[in-house]
Amino acid sequence: MKKIASIVMVMSMAASLAACGSSAQQAESAAESVVSQAASEVASDVESKEADVTTAAETEAAETEAAGGKLTMATNAEFEPWEFHEGDDIVGIDPEVAQAIAEKLGMEYAVEDMAFDAVIPAVATGKADIGMAAITVTEERKSSVDFTEPYAESALVVIVQSDNSEITGADALEGKKVGVQNGTTGDLKASELAGDENVERFPSYFEAIQSLKQGKVEAVVIDTAPAKVFLSQNDDLKQVGEEMDKEEYAIAVKKGNTELVEKLNAAIAELKEDGTFDAIVNKYIPAE
């Protein structure tokens, strides 16, 4: 406002000069010069204030990021006890561990449910910060994402109907119709054992198990933890043979994000050391 008042004063002075006998042209020229200078100073002040606002906003954003931000987890909530739906909530070992990690890092936790074979791409493209869905570390997956240190171990088993005496283990699956969850290591193992043309792929293990109970497939190759859940809920099913292909679960992170991997590894180590991790696992997989 002070600059505007100066402009008005300059214009008044110019008019006075003209009235006192100075040539109108000289007065006009002098006025234009001073007005131009004053306007330039006003513009400079405005730019300076805008820069101050921008700097303040950037500083605030940086402080927010430093304080933590949001940790978005991609998962497939069809894998009890690791992740599954309970009403409108997604619960299980992985969601609780991820939430505990977020708290350790001072971050806000969020979860997005999707098909299992979409989890790795979601992390690789940055649509999610981490992937936790009982994800086995494989060389193929390591070409798309980075992994933390393993946080759990598992294996694969074969489930059949209780009255099935023909399939006694993995070596008896050749030529049999086998159900799997699409994109899992069980999918790969079943293709190896039964032949790819004999593998029936489902969006979830629940659907694979239902197909087994209905006699549409003869066996299901599945991870040990969800296998125990299904066996406890279905007396007409049984596990045959020994466990195979020991696996390690880890958290998937966008390739090259070593800083996040290091933070996650440190948080996992702390959760295991203070007993939080075991408490979460025992909540969903009671000790036998």
Side-chain angles (χ1 to χ4, degrees), residues 31-85:
E32 287 178 353
S33 175
V34 177
V35 168
S36 176
Q37 181 178 352
S40 177
E41 291 177 4
V42 170
S44 178
D45 282 352
V46 171
E47 289 176 1
S48 177
K49 289 176 181 177
E50 288 178 346
D52 288 343
V53 171
T54 301
T55 302
E58 290 174 347
T59 301
E60 184 179 353
E63 289 174 350
T64 301
E65 184 175 352
K70 180 181 288 187
L71 185 70
T72 302
M73 164 187 163
T75 194
N76 172 236
E78 301 288 349
F79 209 67
E80 188 177 357
W82 293 98
E83 41 268 316
F84 58 100
H85 291 277

Side-chain angles (χ1 to χ4, degrees), residues 160-263:
V160 299
Q161 290 192 29
S162 297
D163 59 0
N164 188 324
S165 58
E166 186 177 354
I167 299 177
T168 56
D171 56 356
L173 290 179
E174 185 177 359
K176 305 298 184 183
K177 200 72 173 176
V178 180
V180 299
Q181 181 173 0
N182 187 41
T184 62
T185 50
D187 182 349
L188 299 175
K189 191 64 178 178
S191 296
E192 174 190 327
L193 295 169
D196 188 67
E197 68 280 3
N198 296 311
V199 175
E200 189 76 21
R201 296 174 174 85
F202 298 90
S204 69
Y205 272 131
F206 175 80
E207 292 166 273
I209 291 295
Q210 292 306 305
S211 185
L212 172 63
K213 290 168 66 69
Q214 295 165 6
K216 296 178 180 179
V217 297
E218 298 168 84
V220 170
V221 177
I222 184 174
D223 289 52
T224 52
K228 289 179 181 178
V229 173
F230 285 120
L231 290 172
S232 69
Q233 297 171 346
N234 298 276
D235 294 335
D236 55 343
L237 301 179
K238 66 180 180 180
Q239 177 185 324
V240 293
E242 301 296 323
E243 293 181 352
M244 52 186 171
D245 290 9
K246 295 288 185 180
E247 304 177 338
E248 293 181 319
Y249 296 157
I251 303 174
V253 178
K254 187 174 183 179
K255 207 155 187 64
N257 194 346
T258 56
E259 181 181 357
L260 181 55
V261 170
E262 291 172 0
K263 288 181 178 180

Side-chain angles (χ1 to χ4, degrees), residues 116-131:
F116 181 80
D117 56 2
V119 173
I120 293 295
V123 174
T125 57
K127 293 180 179 179
D129 300 306
I130 61 173

Side-chain angles (χ1 to χ4, degrees), residues 132-151:
M132 289 186 75
I135 301 174
T136 302
V137 179
T138 67
E139 291 303 316
E140 181 181 357
R141 288 171 181 165
K142 285 165 70 174
S143 67
S144 300
V145 294
D146 289 335
F147 284 99
T148 62
E149 293 295 323
Y151 63 88

Side-chain angles (χ1 to χ4, degrees), residues 92-116:
I93 297 171
D94 284 341
E96 285 207 25
V97 169
Q99 189 162 14
I101 288 173
E103 290 174 0
K104 285 279 186 185
L105 300 180
M107 303 178 77
E108 178 187 350
Y109 165 75
V111 60
E112 293 187 8
D113 187 22
M114 60 190 68
F116 181 80

